[in-house]
Amino acid sequence: QLQLVESGGGLVQPGGSLRLSCAASGSFYRANAMGWYRQAPGKQRELVAVIRSGGITNYADSVKGRFTISKDNAKNTIYLQMNSLKPEDTAAYYCHVNRYAMDYWGEGTLVTVSS
């Protein structure tokens, strides 16, 4: 079992930055993928960024060049650095880990981009 706890969400003005963190209760060892998803009101959950085994990263087109995903294996933590935030980035952000063919989700952290 793996428990994930997100933090770092909040209210930010357009153009601002936030860093989300996802702390895991266990090790990321053997994880196939670790990433962030988001879900805006009335919309489906979508992939934002992912780190796959081997260190390959993928980003949604809408966040490329603005968001950066990273991980700290020693701290069992995943980060999402979000810069140049836009109102359309407003959503609940969820941490996700796939390990041993199991999917683990955090409870989510809310990001609101508004002036």
Side-chain angles (χ1 to χ4, degrees), residues 1-112:
Q1 287 290 337
L2 194 65
Q3 291 184 324
L4 306 174
V5 179
E6 302 98 334
S7 62
L11 174 64
V12 63
Q13 292 186 342
S17 297
L18 282 174
R19 188 175 82 154
L20 305 183
S21 299
C22 172
S25 61
S27 171
F28 290 147
Y29 181 68
R30 296 285 190 180
N32 296 317
M34 297 169 284
W36 292 91
Y37 287 71
R38 68 185 180 187
Q39 187 166 18
K43 294 188 177 181
Q44 290 189 329
R45 191 172 295 190
E46 63 175 355
L47 175 67
V48 176
V50 61
I51 299 177
R52 304 189 188 280
S53 57
I56 297 171
T57 58
N58 295 104
Y59 295 89
D61 288 342
S62 59
V63 307
K64 282 180 181 177
R66 300 188 297 122
F67 291 12
T68 303
I69 189 171
S70 61
K71 64 184 177 74
D72 185 329
N73 290 331
K75 296 182 178 180
N76 295 322
T77 302
I78 309 166
Y79 302 98
L80 185 68
Q81 178 65 44
M82 306 186 295
N83 299 327
S84 302
L85 283 161
K86 304 175 181 180
E88 51 263 44
D89 294 318
T90 295
Y93 284 71
Y94 298 89
C95 179
H96 169 260
V97 173
N98 178 273
R99 190 183 71 169
Y100 298 125
M102 294 285 292
D103 288 309
Y104 299 92
W105 292 93
E107 294 291 321
T109 185
L110 186 61
V111 172
T112 303

